[in-house]
Amino acid sequence: SVAVEDQKFCLKEVLNTFKLCLSENKEVYLEHYVAGWRGLIKFLNSLGSVFGFISKDAVNKIQILVNHMNDENGSQYVTVQSMVKYELENELVDLTKRGSHPESGCRTLLRLHRALRWLELFLERLRTSKEDSKTSVMCAEAYNESLSQHHPWVVRKAAGMAFCMLPGRLSFFEVMNVGQPEQVVAMLGEALPLISEVYQITEDLYAQHNLLELP
Ligand code: 1PZ
């Protein structure tokens, strides 16, 4: 039926949306960036309700960005580059401490951007994993190397507990719905450079404008 067809979910399509993210002159389209995250969240939700507190925060962040894209200044929110320029020129970003712009596009996207680094590290581990590798360990290592540095103790604790609930490597590959493990590995090999490039371009842009520590 149509309903079942709708639920069919393939991680390959999601990771491919990161291909659409980059414009010819290497700007990052917010529309596709957000679409990529939507797909990842759908995937996360399919892993179980223990990940609800994670997806809830991500959904929240995405909604903030979508609201910016849909409001009267939406034309300034076409790419990450135009968003940064617009918000900085119009003093719409809290630069050193939280103030009148707690939901700036810049600080909101930064949270997703940091999570994208986790994703990159995690997927790279998954790609090169052995049959007996544990997803929970790969996930925790990737987290400790990236996102955890920006999280308080309580969040790190909760995240660590959630990681233990991840399905094993083979079931995890199955949920990705890409095919045999070899096909998953091949797909990851294709998708990872795209994700890395989007990450690096955003990272350089934020570094250039001193935005990497936005409150
Ligand atoms: C497959 C297993 C999924 C593990 C995902 C690893 C990320 C763990 C993150 C746990 C944190 C969630 C609770 C929210 C924390 C927020 O405080 C922070 C900072 O935002 P602020 O408080 O400054 O507004 N939010 C984030 O760091 C964004 C986290 C987004 C995580 C998205 C994960 C999507 C996973 C896709 C899976 C394929």
Side-chain angles (χ1 to χ4, degrees):
S1 72
V2 177
V4 171
E5 207 60 39
D6 280 345
Q7 282 166 12
K8 202 152 191 264
F9 175 84
C10 178
L11 195 65
K12 187 186 175 120
E13 289 163 32
V14 173
L15 297 182
N16 272 338
T17 57
F18 285 98
K19 215 182 267 179
L20 300 173
C21 275
L22 288 181
S23 76
E24 236 169 85
N25 54 344
K26 305 282 181 195
E27 297 203 7
V28 179
Y29 291 122
L30 266 179
E31 185 191 347
H32 299 298
Y33 194 87
V34 160
W37 276 106
R38 279 221 174 93
L40 288 170
I41 289 162
K42 213 168 150 191
F43 177 72
L44 183 62
N45 286 337
S46 75
L47 295 178
S49 53
V50 277
F51 305 102
F53 77 104
I54 301 173
S55 66
K56 210 173 148 193
D57 184 70
V59 166
N60 233 317
K61 303 259 185 299
I62 287 170
Q63 193 55 52
I64 293 170
L65 291 175
V66 168
N67 290 345
H68 283 305
M69 289 159 69
N70 289 339
D71 82 2
E72 54 189 275
N73 297 311
S75 62
Q76 312 283 353
Y77 288 83
V78 172
T79 65
V80 176
Q81 285 75 6
S82 66
M83 173 188 83
V84 165
K85 184 168 188 287
Y86 168 71
E87 289 194 343
L88 287 181
E89 282 177 356
N90 293 280
E91 295 178 30
L92 296 171
V93 186
D94 293 334
L95 293 172
T96 51
K97 59 172 193 284
R98 301 204 73 170
S100 44
H101 305 290
E103 300 203 326
S104 69
C106 287
R107 72 88 57 195
T108 303
L109 187 117
L110 176 62
R111 271 60 188 176
L112 294 175
H113 168 69
R114 289 167 174 169
L116 197 63
R117 176 69 182 152
W118 161 80
L119 184 75
E120 187 187 347
L121 294 172
F122 175 57
L123 293 181
E124 177 57 20
R125 278 183 165 76
L126 211 51
R127 188 181 74 82
T128 54
S129 61
K130 303 274 178 325
E131 264 161 57
D132 61 349
S133 300
K134 284 194 160 27
T135 46
S136 56
V137 173
M138 295 187 266
C139 189
E141 286 175 353
Y143 177 73
N144 291 339
E145 275 180 32
S146 57
L147 207 45
S148 80
Q149 293 151 27
H150 307 285
H151 286 163
W153 184 85
V154 225
V155 172
R156 292 204 302 263
K157 252 336 205 211
M161 275 158 30
F163 297 159
C164 295
M165 310 295 283
L166 280 174
R169 181 173 174 274
L170 275 186
S171 341
F172 198 89
F173 280 6
E174 271 166 35
V175 189
M176 290 165 107
N177 208 5
V178 175
Q180 295 303 305
E182 310 81 65
Q183 290 168 280
V184 175
V185 168
M187 183 275 286
L188 289 175
E190 257 180 71
L192 271 162
L194 303 172
I195 294 174
S196 300
E197 192 176 15
V198 170
Y199 176 83
Q200 202 51 54
I201 289 171
T202 310
E203 178 77 6
D204 293 344
L205 177 75
Y206 268 62
Q208 193 189 317
H209 290 95
N210 254 311
L211 301 175
L212 286 169
E213 300 297 329
L214 290 180

